[in-house]
Amino acid sequence: MSHGEPWRAVLPPGFSWPTGVRAAACFTFDLDAESGTLFDHPETAGQMDVMSHQAYGPRTAVPRLLRLLDRQTIKATFFIPGYTAERWPEAVRSIRDAGHEIAHHGYLHEGSRHADPETEERRLLRGFEALHSVAGVRPIGYRAPNWELSYALPAILARHGIIYDSGLMDADHPYRLAVSPAPDAPTIIELPAHWALDDWEAYDYLPGLTGSGVIGSPADVVARWTLELDALVTEGGLFMLTNHPFISGRASRAHALEGLIAHARAIDGLWVATCVEIATHVATLDLPPVVHRPPVLPGNERTRPQAALERLRRAPSQ
Ligand SMILES: [Zn+2]
């Protein structure tokens, strides 16, 4: 680029936004509630203090956030674990009744790590059942709890009618994701996310469970998110913000978030939409599928854990 030339967005081959749109923003909420601690720390079921911290989401934050979204006249996407729906049916139905998208977020907020495909499929189906029995909805979007996505899961998602996933981190624009390396593999749409656009790291602190104890100021956090939003608008990308009602539904954080949403709405050509709206558009594009293959480790190099194990074996026994 020569000096003085304006910054221009470079879109991936085949990618375009709808006419008049130059970038997009999704405001999403993961309604983890109690399930956010129960899978990894089941002992917290007996800890009223921790459970109350998580219950703040459906009990206090959801009504506040629904009012906020109504004031800003935008629709959001709520990713909801099935267990949350069963425990807080009225909160989930209020989200549905306000016209927001409800998407799948596991059953008990189970991460993919160490799960075999059969286990992953069983959890997916249990999440579907819970959301259907509580709210009568059949989601077509998915976000992996903790964003832990195994290589096997996309094929399972596609088999059960999921059209998009949101959580991979290798792009600024939505893309078509091949569910396996097979040449004729089905595809779903990926709506990429990133830890820097998640409220958990900035705000969440539960002693002994999560966070460092350093809790960010909403002014700083929203300033950081605004920088990324403005830059992604310039790049023609997708701003995917992930908030949790129990975290960002706190008063000052919700107020700061509303300021960010108002800022986004005032940007000319920025499409503020739900995930399913974005995915439905991207599905109409003739995009080459992106194939993710796990790296093959070099056979002639010991990894750090292998080397450590060998040192332990060599050490004289005490
Ligand atoms: Zn979650």
Side-chain angles (χ1 to χ4, degrees):
M1 184 191 291
S2 64
H3 287 290
E5 192 179 325
W7 193 283
R8 277 211 319 271
V10 179
L11 302 181
F15 188 88
S16 63
W17 292 112
T19 306
V21 170
R22 59 181 177 134
C26 287
F27 292 89
T28 70
F29 298 91
D30 296 0
L31 190 59
D32 296 351
E34 293 91 340
S35 72
T37 69
L38 289 176
F39 183 69
D40 289 320
H41 305 280
E43 71 281 6
T44 59
Q47 299 169 356
M48 184 155 57
D49 52 320
V50 175
M51 291 296 95
S52 76
H53 181 268
Q54 301 304 109
Y56 186 88
R59 185 191 298 282
T60 304
V62 165
R64 173 179 292 139
L65 292 170
L66 292 181
R67 291 192 298 273
L68 182 166
L69 294 168
D70 185 54
R71 272 195 303 277
Q72 292 299 322
T73 63
I74 70 162
K75 297 297 183 211
T77 299
F78 286 75
F79 293 90
I80 305 181
Y83 185 87
T84 298
E86 290 172 349
R87 191 166 163 85
W88 297 95
E90 290 308 321
V92 172
R93 290 195 276 262
S94 71
I95 292 165
R96 175 202 63 192
D97 293 346
H100 301 290
E101 180 192 359
I102 291 178
H104 200 301
H105 196 43
Y107 178 71
L108 191 61
H109 203 266
E110 311 91 341
S112 262
R113 303 283 189 266
H114 312 299
D116 56 39
E118 292 71 30
T119 302
E120 296 214 85
E121 184 165 37
R122 181 167 41 76
R123 293 167 177 171
L124 183 75
L125 294 178
R126 197 168 179 194
F128 275 130
E129 283 165 19
L131 291 173
H132 186 262
S133 70
V134 167
V137 295
R138 179 63 158 84
I140 54 175
Y142 180 83
R143 172 172 286 160
N146 309 329
W147 283 325
E148 290 178 16
L149 202 68
S150 67
Y151 282 90
L153 189 53
I156 299 170
L157 298 176
R159 203 159 60 234
H160 291 287
I162 292 289
I163 69 157
Y164 76 85
D165 168 72
S166 176
L168 295 180
M169 304 198 180
D170 55 330
D172 294 326
H173 299 81
Y175 62 87
R176 190 175 287 281
L177 168 68
V179 304
S180 85
D184 54 350
T187 61
I188 60 175
I189 301 302
E190 175 60 33
L191 305 179
H194 186 242
W195 290 110
L197 293 178
D198 184 310
D199 59 355
W200 194 291
E201 295 64 38
Y203 291 140
D204 198 33
Y205 173 59
L206 268 170
L209 293 170
T210 188
S212 65
V214 179
I215 297 175
S217 155
D220 295 340
V221 173
V222 167
R224 185 156 56 78
W225 291 343
T226 304
L227 285 172
E228 187 69 6
L229 169 63
D230 291 348
L232 281 171
V233 169
T234 306
E235 298 279 356
L238 170 64
F239 176 80
M240 172 63 68
L241 189 67
T242 299
N243 283 321
H244 299 76
F246 78 89
I247 300 173
S248 281
R250 297 265 163 194
S252 65
R253 298 170 184 170
H255 287 206
L257 174 63
E258 182 160 12
L260 174 62
I261 293 174
H263 172 76
R265 290 182 61 228
I267 296 175
D268 190 39
L270 178 65
W271 184 24
V272 179
T274 61
C275 291
V276 71
E277 289 175 302
I278 305 275
T280 302
H281 162 70
V282 176
T284 67
L285 304 176
D286 187 20
L287 292 173
V290 173
V291 180
H292 288 289
R293 290 184 178 83
V296 177
L297 291 163
N300 58 354
E301 185 65 75
R302 288 173 308 159
T303 61
R304 200 185 300 278
Q306 285 167 342
L309 205 60
E310 286 167 22
R311 271 199 307 279
L312 270 178
R313 286 191 185 124
R314 281 200 305 271
S317 53
Q318 301 287 323

